Amino acid sequence: MLFGLIVTDRRHATHAAGLLAAAAARGWDARCFLTDSGVLALRDDGFMTQARARPRTVAACKHSLDHLAPDFDTALVADAVVIGGQFQGAKLAQSADAVLVL
């Protein structure tokens, strides 16, 4: 099962981390896309713990990062997170068996 999680608001960082952990515990392939203020989850230690547990399964919208966190150093998360565009979110929505948007 490919579970897709799209996070659009920073308020959901903790919830998103829990969902990713639960999906992994079920043996699901869990993927996540961060957009809008959801990209600020990259500053959340709990969320980044989940992202680093399964490197490159989280993608973040560069445009949103540039707009909302221009001072954020993407090199700090490059080992775990794909910094890309809305294309990553579209591909996730297309290929996932189930998608949840927070």
Side-chain angles (χ1 to χ4, degrees), residues 14 17 25 89 91 93 99:
T14 301
K91 289 301 287 181
V99 176

Side-chain angles (χ1 to χ4, degrees), residues 44-97:
D44 182 273
D45 291 335
F47 181 84
M48 285 308 301
T49 295
Q50 290 304 312
R52 287 194 168 92
R54 288 170 303 285
R56 315 295 285 171
T57 60
V58 172
C61 176
K62 183 175 183 329
H63 177 77
S64 294
L65 274 170
D66 290 346
H67 179 69
L68 297 170
D71 61 328
F72 185 79
D73 183 2
T74 57
L76 298 173
V77 298
D79 62 322
V81 177
V82 175
I83 305 299
Q86 291 294 317
F87 180 74
Q88 277 75 25
K91 289 301 287 181
L92 176 59
Q94 178 187 34
S95 61
D97 295 306

